[in-house]
Amino acid sequence: MARLTINGKSQAFDVDPNTPLLWVLREQVGLTGTKYGCGVALCGACTVHVDGAPMRSCVVPVSAVEGKKITTIEGLAVNGRLTKVQQAWLDNDVPQCGYCQSGMIMAVTALLDKSPKPTDAQIDAAITNICRCGTFQQVREAIHAAARA
Amino acid sequence: MLESPKLTRRSFLISSAAVGGGLALGLNIPFGGPGVVRAADGSPEITAWVVIRPDDTVVVRIARSEMGQGTLTGLAQLVAEELECDWSKVITEYPTPGTNVARKRVWGDYGTGGSRGIRTSQDYVRKGGAAARMMLVQAAADGWKVPASECVAANSTITHKPSGRKTSYGKVAEAAAKLEVPKDVPLKDPKDWKIIGKPVKRLDTVDKLTGKQVYGADVKLPGMLNAAIKDCPIFGGKVKSFDPAKAAGMPGVKKVLQIENAIAVVADTWWHAKTALDAVNIEWDGGANEKVSSASIAEMLTEGLSAEQAFVHNQAGDSKAAIDGAAKKVEAVYVYPFQNHACMEPMNATAIYTADSCKVWVGTQNGEAALAAAAEASGLPVAKCDVEKLLLGGGFGRRGFTDYVRQAVLIAKEMPGTPVKLLWSREEDMLHGKYHPIMQAKLTGGLDAAGNLTGLEIRLSGQSILASARPEALDKGKDPFSFQGFWPTGEHSLEYTIPNIKIDHAMRNTHVPPGFWRGVNINQNAIFLECFMDELALAAGKDALEFRRALMSKNPKSLAVLNAVADKGGWGKPAAPGVHRGLAHFRAFGSYVAACAEVSVKDGNKVKVHRIVAATDTGYAVNPAQIERQIAGSFVYGLSAMFAQECTVKDGRIEQENFHSYNSMRIAQMPKVESIVMPSGGFWGGVGEPTICVAAPAVLNAIFAATGKRFRSFPLKNHGIEWV
């Protein structure tokens, strides 16, 4: 049994403690906004926040996050009000297929929490998510737009 | 690129028979008067492309698939333009492929590939919008008992000009739906377009920002089970034996089964299924293919470079005599590898099978092909099957194939009445791609004493996609698509005028299945030709731009895009210290494209791509903002391929299993892309793919300018090049 606090709600799950957080989110909680891309923490599509820090949930066993505050893409907008990162994404028409964008937005949100006005070098170092459609140019513009907002 | 629909002959016969026999129109009809077809919510269909709700919401039907390329928004713009509707009230929906078949393919082709989404349906979708507008205007005029010619439509409002009376589309939709669809439907002059050509925002963004968007991998159905699968990693191989005992007893596992040459585990969750699948001890029998390696394939292709027999596709003059008699002869061999699509969303499909129905939920580039696959795998007639299309987490050609749909249906068939979602692991996705075809090329050019190119020969040697994926489309054995960008005329034409030329293809197919890919054969063909053009210019002692210009005088559209990138890119002017430039040009999918790249190289091997100026003439540009995004995106895909990506073969199987050995560009490596969208009008060229092919040769030519090194085999990582 694992007790997790997800998007402010505490829930208990009867799962093997080694189950990756990603699959508990997707298959037990039903939050499918967090995506499976590679399963080995290389692509970033599964990025969530654990106590505010970005983590690739596909390699985090649930046992490691018990008692910690987990935020997923579904937990960003409160009452339908987009965060400034989401709004910048909308204004800049960032997503193409969109599959990697949950992870991208989570990684960027964590970056801006730490560095509210990131330089391009800070963006390059912090954002290592893969996007196969190739939205990077718009991602960079939207990060700067969100930082200005 | 991807060719026409893949409904098999068998399923076509079945579906035609069903339609001819008076098959009911599925979900439509039941609510209304005769002739009115209704959407699921009861709103009337005006034409097949347009449903209008009482609250003035305009539902535009989209037959082609959205996979990120923006086609859904572009197609809606085309319909909305002629419909004269309020753009802010437009939403879209996908009619199911089964409904299309039942309605005698009223929405036409569902295939989405080859950069054809807009350009091959623009005519009939615009007419669908225009006809609906005419019917709405007529209905309003009838209500007012005035001639339709006195009424005008704009922004979803119809106005009777003489009296100033107004009504809305929502109010007259019911009456309009009862009218005959007009046959003579004139379209607007492009100069009057108000929505086409505008950089409107995509219609499908918000849900992608909040986690709400449902992809195939996210489908949830009551009672659904989940499946993981391992197909024989040696293409063409079989299951020799497997021991299900351990897996069968693991948590959540419902079934361990063999599906053709694959082993699948069905469980309550995918994580349980995957974990149990890893515990199944499987022995594979790869047969003779176990002996195939990258080296044995390369040997076969190299032989093809000098083989007697080859398919000729572009020939003029006497290239041999011209080259033999040339003042200077230049020769080079280029090598291009297998590559996986690596869509971010691994392949998946969800199916439910019963004795008399089969339904599939899937992100697919070809809904009708998925339908045909469901029918074939279930053994049911097409009329008893259907497919719910979902947004694709990347397609790039991979999701035009239906291998995973077949697997999902075969698994579901083993558990009738229970929906089963099959999701491939990334490893399965890497091992069972439809790979970018492997190709070598020998290029030989002859220059006269003045440095003019008098003869060119290109011998391609390698795989044909059509021979494997659509053999019926071969032209007497020849695959014209191997020659993309080298055609004598047509949408993939060679744009240089060379008096003596011969371009041929020694087809060398392997057991590794090839597939359509973003750009596909333009990717390597542009590298071959455009790097070789720089090699020729160097040998001729000429500037790379001037050398190209001299061969392009008969092709002003090509010259225009080349000049545009040279001008904006600063060709011939000093670059920043340490920065070097390279050019490339090509014609593909009907569009004219060019790029000017700027790179610097540190320590002899650390390559930084700073900036690429790109131009495209797509004829008409439906949404310039989305075209800019496709250009930049295509460069990410194309440069990832050129710097980092190769699938190698050992013991008959692909060696790369995840992104650690099959890398992809990150934001730090992204150059600044400056796009010049320069539609010259009068034709409809492709958008999603054409530009992909100019990034790599422009960068390679710039690397040569920086280092004096000419790389002729790919990816560059094999040469110790570090992409920074």
Side-chain angles (χ1 to χ4, degrees), chain B residues 277-502:
Chain B
L277 180 61
D278 287 341
V280 182
N281 191 10
I282 313 167
E283 261 197 278
W284 306 107
D285 174 9
N289 289 336
E290 283 183 15
K291 296 194 183 76
V292 180
S293 66
S294 285
S296 71
I297 292 170
E299 200 180 326
M300 177 173 73
L301 266 58
T302 303
E303 176 276 323
L305 291 179
S306 53
E308 291 276 316
Q309 194 101 37
F311 296 107
V312 180
H313 198 64
N314 190 343
Q315 189 165 26
D318 186 339
S319 57
K320 189 175 181 303
I323 291 165
D324 287 349
K328 206 177 230 181
K329 184 176 156 181
V330 182
E331 187 172 293
V333 171
Y334 284 76
V335 177
Y336 200 88
F338 292 119
Q339 289 163 333
N340 193 300
H341 300 83
C343 302
M344 287 307 297
E345 179 194 18
M347 298 304 111
N348 64 80
T350 302
I352 181 165
Y353 169 89
T354 66
D356 66 352
S357 75
C358 178
K359 189 161 180 186
V360 172
W361 289 257
V362 64
T364 172
Q365 286 177 246
N366 194 335
E368 289 184 307
L371 175 63
E376 296 269 1
S378 66
L380 293 167
V382 168
K384 296 198 167 190
C385 302
D386 209 350
V387 171
E388 286 290 343
K389 285 168 49 177
L390 296 151
L391 178 68
L392 290 69
F396 313 114
R398 180 64 183 90
R399 285 191 156 94
F401 292 87
T402 57
D403 41 339
Y404 48 95
V405 175
R406 177 177 179 81
Q407 288 178 341
V409 171
L410 290 176
I411 293 167
K413 209 175 166 183
E414 299 287 325
M415 347 200 59
T418 302
V420 182
K421 176 160 74 190
L422 170 68
L423 170 66
W424 286 10
S425 65
R426 173 59 59 191
E427 289 75 14
E428 187 69 7
D429 199 276
M430 286 298 297
L431 294 179
H432 290 284
K434 302 288 183 187
Y435 301 86
H436 183 290
I438 193 163
M439 195 71 75
Q440 296 189 4
K442 184 164 84 180
L443 300 98
T444 315
L447 299 163
D448 67 15
N452 299 306
L453 181 61
T454 52
L456 176 70
E457 289 186 350
I458 304 175
R459 163 59 63 88
L460 302 170
S461 174
Q463 257 180 318
S464 153
I465 302 170
L466 294 185
S468 164
R470 293 195 64 224
E472 73 280 5
L474 291 172
D475 174 13
K476 298 188 189 85
K478 178 170 75 179
D479 179 350
F481 292 100
S482 300
F483 298 91
Q484 280 180 295
F486 295 159
W487 292 5
T489 58
E491 67 175 50
H492 296 289
S493 59
L494 178 73
E495 294 290 288
Y496 299 121
T497 307
I498 302 162
N500 302 290
I501 191 164
K502 185 178 177 185

Side-chain angles (χ1 to χ4, degrees), chain A residues 20 23 26-27 30 35-38 42 86 91-93 96-99 128 132-133 136-137 140, chain B residues 201-202 208-209 215 217-218 220 269-271 341-342 426 626 629-630 633 637 645 658 664 666-667 673:
Chain A
W23 295 103
R26 289 183 58 82
E27 303 198 301
K35 303 301 185 196
Y36 166 66
C38 70
L42 288 170
Q86 289 169 317
D91 295 342
N92 287 273
D93 233 3
Q96 290 187 24
C97 90
Y99 192 82
T128 57
R132 294 288 288 150
C133 294
F136 297 128
Q137 184 143 314
R140 191 184 297 280
Chain B
K201 293 271 165 63
R202 295 178 66 113
K208 294 172 183 169
L209 310 177
Y215 298 82
D218 305 328
K220 279 176 255 180
T269 66
W270 187 78
W271 182 251
H341 300 83
R426 173 59 59 191
Q626 295 311 319
R629 282 157 177 76
Q630 287 306 298
Y637 211 76
Q645 296 176 343
N658 211 316
S664 191
R666 311 303 157 102
I667 199 168
V673 176

Side-chain angles (χ1 to χ4, degrees), chain B residues 531 534 578-583 597-601 604-609 639 642-643 695-711 714 716 719 721-723:
Chain B
C531 288
D534 264 38
V579 173
H580 298 265
R581 297 196 180 106
L583 286 173
E598 290 186 349
V599 312
S600 62
V601 183
N605 74 327
K606 292 184 181 63
V607 176
K608 175 77 191 166
V609 185
L639 291 179
M642 195 263 289
F643 275 101
V699 167
L700 288 163
N701 288 336
I703 292 173
F704 179 82
T707 64
K709 276 188 207 154
R710 176 57 67 185
F711 294 106
F714 308 97
L716 292 185
H719 300 281
I721 293 291
E722 215 179 294
W723 187 15

Side-chain angles (χ1 to χ4, degrees), chain A:
Chain A
M1 192 68 81
R3 180 157 283 281
L4 302 176
T5 305
I6 301 161
N7 299 332
K9 214 167 114 190
S10 174
Q11 289 169 272
F13 303 96
D14 183 16
V15 291
D16 182 306
N18 291 321
T19 309
L21 174 60
L22 169 67
W23 295 103
V24 174
L25 292 172
R26 289 183 58 82
E27 303 198 301
Q28 312 291 332
V29 194
L31 294 175
T32 53
T34 307
K35 303 301 185 196
Y36 166 66
C38 70
V40 288
L42 288 170
C43 78
C46 65
T47 305
V48 299
H49 295 174
V50 176
D51 286 343
M55 281 189 114
R56 293 187 172 175
S57 63
C58 68
V59 293
V60 176
V62 279
S63 58
V65 291
E66 281 196 73
K68 295 185 178 168
K69 214 177 106 192
I70 297 154
T71 308
T72 72
I73 186 76
E74 292 90 345
L76 290 188
V78 179
N79 298 326
R81 207 190 133 99
L82 299 181
T83 65
K84 64 180 183 176
V85 174
Q86 289 169 317
Q87 189 62 47
W89 249 241
L90 184 64
D91 295 342
N92 287 273
D93 233 3
V94 174
Q96 290 187 24
C97 90
Y99 192 82
C100 74
Q101 297 295 336
S102 297
M104 197 76 83
I105 289 168
M106 295 310 286
V108 168
T109 300
L111 168 67
L112 291 181
D113 285 347
K114 217 172 81 185
S115 314
K117 304 269 179 208
T119 62
D120 280 330
Q122 286 175 310
I123 292 170
D124 290 347
I127 307 302
T128 57
N129 302 46
I130 294 177
C131 169
R132 294 288 288 150
C133 294
T135 59
F136 297 128
Q137 184 143 314
Q138 282 70 42
V139 166
R140 191 184 297 280
E141 284 168 13
I143 293 172
H144 289 307
R148 284 192 303 267

Side-chain angles (χ1 to χ4, degrees), chain B residues 174-219:
Chain B
E174 282 293 339
K178 294 189 179 82
L179 299 174
E180 283 275 314
V181 178
K183 292 206 168 57
D184 181 23
V185 183
L187 294 176
K188 281 185 178 178
D189 188 311
K191 72 174 166 41
D192 299 324
W193 286 342
K194 290 177 290 197
I195 300 172
I196 300 174
K198 295 291 180 300
V200 300
K201 293 271 165 63
R202 295 178 66 113
L203 294 170
D204 56 347
T205 297
V206 175
D207 286 352
K208 294 172 183 169
L209 310 177
T210 59
K212 262 192 205 153
Q213 180 68 55
V214 174
Y215 298 82
D218 305 328
V219 166

Side-chain angles (χ1 to χ4, degrees), chain B residues 123-138:
Chain B
D123 181 51
Y124 56 78
V125 304
R126 284 190 293 149
K127 281 184 179 157
R133 183 201 69 239
M134 291 164 73
M135 293 159 75
L136 290 157
V137 168
Q138 186 65 54

